[in-house]
């Protein structure tokens, strides 16, 4: 999948369309000591039972997420493009 390096998009801060730089959104960091993670890990101990977070069916592709940065005010915004795809996003 191909996407241009620079696109003209609406900026909510400038309240108009401005040139934006496109960048692939990185993955956020998981915090292993967060309360939700600790609870989940506790639930995985022991025998059997239904557990959240264990998927039986895996999705074939991912929806690509990009970050658009306004060239005027540097405001960043996320955008999901296209549908589920196995191909990596390329900028041209
Ligand atoms: Zn802006």
């Amino acid at each position: 999948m191909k996407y241009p390096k620079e696109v003209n998009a609406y900026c909510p801060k400038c309240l108009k369309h401005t040139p934006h730089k496109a960048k692939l959104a990185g993955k956020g960091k998981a915090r292993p000591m967060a309360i939700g993670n600790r609870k989940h890990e506790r639930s995985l101990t022991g025998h059997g039972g239904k557990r959240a977070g264990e998927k039986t069916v895996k999705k074939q592709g991912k929806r690509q997420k990009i970050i658009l940065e306004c060239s005027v005010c540097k405001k960043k915004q996320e955008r999901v493009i296209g549908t589920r795809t196995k191909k990596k996003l390329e900028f041209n």
Side-chain angles (χ1 to χ4, degrees), residues 10-16 18 20 70-75:
Y10 182 78
C11 174
K13 207 173 174 186
C14 305
L15 302 174
K16 62 181 178 186
T18 52
H20 281 67
C70 176
S71 58
V72 180
C73 67
K74 306 286 177 203
K75 170 142 181 77

Side-chain angles (χ1 to χ4, degrees), residues 1 4 11 15 20 23 29 37 41-43 48 50 55 57 59 66-67 79 83 86-89:
M1 188 185 253
C11 174
L15 302 174
H20 281 67
K23 203 173 73 177
K29 258 187 194 170
N37 265 329
E41 229 139 82
R42 223 179 297 137
S43 80
K50 213 173 189 182
K55 290 164 192 166
V57 180
K59 294 270 161 82
I66 56 164
I67 288 185
R79 188 175 280 185
T83 51
K86 274 184 166 179
K87 284 180 183 171
K88 269 190 176 173
L89 192 69

